[in-house]
Amino acid sequence: MNLKHTLLLLCLLSGLQTMAQTHRNEFGFQSDNDSFLAQGSDRYYTNGLFVFFRRGLNVNDTTRFKNKVLGIELGQKIFNPASGQTPDRDMVDRPFAGYLYAGVNLNYLYSNESNLKLGAQIGMVGPAALGRQAQEVIHNTFGFYELQGWEYQIRNNFQFNLSGEYNRLLGRAGKDADISLNTYANLGTGFTGAGAGFLVRLGKFNQLFNSVSMQSTAIKQRGFEPLNKHEFFFYLRPTLRYVAYDATIEGSLFTKSDNSVEVRLTRKPVVFSQQFGVTYGGERWIFDLSAIFQTKDTKEMLKAHQWGSATILYRFN
């Protein structure tokens, strides 16, 4: 074998190795709970559980796009007042509410490290969302206190919500630090509003079109060289939100209940959140841990939100 053939074989083997490192599918879970912060609190956004499946799609225009990802998710969010033990209606400072949904989204990831993510969700807010039952299972399993006050929860209403995200890299200092613009908008029967903020990453990360940060690690073919083989970075994500409507606070958009048991509170239109986290993205496994602190979203709330979030994903072909 001459030198030319040897070099050609090495190039082919290198290409095969690169292809072997791409995984088209990923599946995983996310769990949110205020108890993760070990502060002894059980208030407001108290629990969330989500299941994800993502699949990398064909990319035909490689000069414009680097990746396209289809996402499917199932999720449940649970809210209660300052305590899940609220026997008096007058003590409710944020309504008891559950939100159960199924969603689909399409993530377009561009060569200039921007992305457009479009999604839709259908679901229920109210008793049909099974928030009370899920919280009772958690409390009974771990020996927590007895719940009181779910009879005051938001009444049943069907949800159809649309969402859009646009994110873009603003600047990068070498391979160890960068900052991106994050924006989003929601429109629907339950959640309407918009927000903007920044994502700051410090550590070993990849381009936004193939990174845990933009839920873009599922990829069918990779015609580019990643910045790092594995990701391991810390991040900061401050976000300012405008909330035009929130069904977990205000109930149905179309029919106001005349039931005096249901509690009606005053939504705050502007909310600020701050997220601190650490992410690891390996060959197949992805882990993310974060803490989120958010200002009050009703005028009656005694304290601000705070909760922790843990995500685990497995990538495969």
Side-chain angles (χ1 to χ4, degrees):
M1 184 180 291
N2 58 33
L3 179 61
K4 181 179 179 180
H5 290 158
T6 302
L7 291 174
L8 179 60
L9 179 61
L10 289 175
C11 289
L12 289 173
L13 290 175
S14 176
L16 289 173
Q17 183 178 12
T18 301
M19 290 177 64
Q21 292 174 350
T22 63
H23 301 286
R24 187 177 185 182
N25 306 299
E26 65 183 28
F27 176 81
F29 305 88
Q30 177 181 324
S31 178
D32 297 345
N33 200 288
D34 48 357
S35 66
F36 291 167
L37 300 183
Q39 298 295 311
S41 66
D42 188 18
R43 64 178 187 255
Y44 310 136
Y45 177 44
T46 184
N47 190 75
L49 183 62
F50 312 91
V51 181
F52 304 107
F53 174 75
R54 302 187 185 108
R55 182 175 178 85
L57 303 179
N58 289 325
V59 177
N60 297 321
D61 185 359
T62 56
T63 58
R64 185 183 181 191
F65 296 101
K66 290 297 185 183
N67 196 6
K68 294 180 183 179
V69 181
L70 174 67
I72 299 172
E73 64 183 85
L74 303 173
Q76 183 191 52
K77 295 183 177 182
I78 302 174
F79 301 86
N80 58 235
S83 171
Q85 193 173 56
T86 307
D88 190 336
R89 181 181 184 278
D90 293 334
M91 297 172 61
V92 176
D93 59 341
R94 195 195 194 284
F96 287 89
Y99 174 46
L100 184 67
Y101 72 91
V104 62
N105 58 73
L106 191 56
N107 197 358
Y108 296 92
L109 298 125
Y110 297 90
S111 301
N112 62 357
E113 294 198 57
S114 66
N115 81 303
L116 178 64
K117 183 179 178 182
L118 304 174
Q121 296 179 353
I122 58 171
M124 291 294 295
V125 167
L130 305 177
R132 178 176 190 167
Q133 292 87 333
Q135 194 173 34
E136 285 177 345
V137 169
I138 295 171
H139 278 235
N140 292 338
T141 300
F142 295 99
F144 297 155
Y145 61 84
E146 182 179 354
L147 296 170
Q148 290 181 281
W150 271 97
E151 61 268 27
Y152 309 130
Q153 72 174 300
I154 294 292
R155 298 301 176 232
N156 279 330
N157 58 94
F158 176 76
Q159 297 292 300
F160 178 69
N161 298 296
L162 301 174
S163 64
E165 291 182 24
Y166 177 75
N167 308 290
R168 186 183 181 94
L169 179 70
L170 296 179
R172 178 170 294 139
K175 294 184 177 182
D176 301 321
D178 68 6
I179 182 170
S180 304
L181 172 69
N182 294 171
T183 65
Y184 78 90
N186 297 324
L187 178 64
T189 62
F191 306 99
T192 297
F198 299 96
L199 171 66
V200 178
R201 302 190 295 178
L202 302 171
K204 293 186 178 297
F205 47 75
N206 283 325
Q207 300 96 321
L208 297 181
F209 43 69
N210 189 206
S211 174
V212 181
S213 298
M214 294 301 153
Q215 301 175 354
S216 57
T217 48
I219 185 168
K220 184 177 181 181
Q221 70 265 7
R222 186 167 61 195
F224 57 87
E225 186 66 26
L227 295 177
N228 294 286
K229 184 177 180 181
H230 298 145
E231 292 188 292
F232 182 70
F233 59 88
F234 297 89
Y235 65 89
L236 170 68
R237 193 193 303 264
T239 306
L240 187 65
R241 310 176 188 275
Y242 171 71
V243 182
Y245 201 87
D246 186 335
T248 66
I249 297 173
E250 300 168 276
S252 173
L253 179 64
F254 302 107
T255 58
K256 298 300 182 182
S257 172
D258 58 2
N259 189 336
S260 61
V261 174
E262 185 175 15
V263 178
R264 295 287 181 176
L265 301 176
T266 306
R267 166 187 46 83
K268 297 192 74 171
V270 179
V271 175
F272 178 75
S273 67
Q274 183 69 276
Q275 182 177 13
F276 306 87
V278 58
T279 293
Y280 169 77
E283 178 85 12
R284 290 189 178 270
W285 291 96
I286 293 171
F287 302 96
D288 180 88
L289 296 173
S290 67
I292 301 94
F293 303 90
Q294 180 176 296
T295 59
K296 303 174 184 179
D297 52 21
T298 77
K299 293 183 179 179
E300 294 82 1
M301 284 171 60
L302 301 177
K303 297 181 180 180
H305 288 270
Q306 59 177 28
W307 70 90
S309 181
T311 301
I312 180 170
L313 297 165
Y314 180 73
R315 304 168 63 210
F316 61 96
N317 286 321

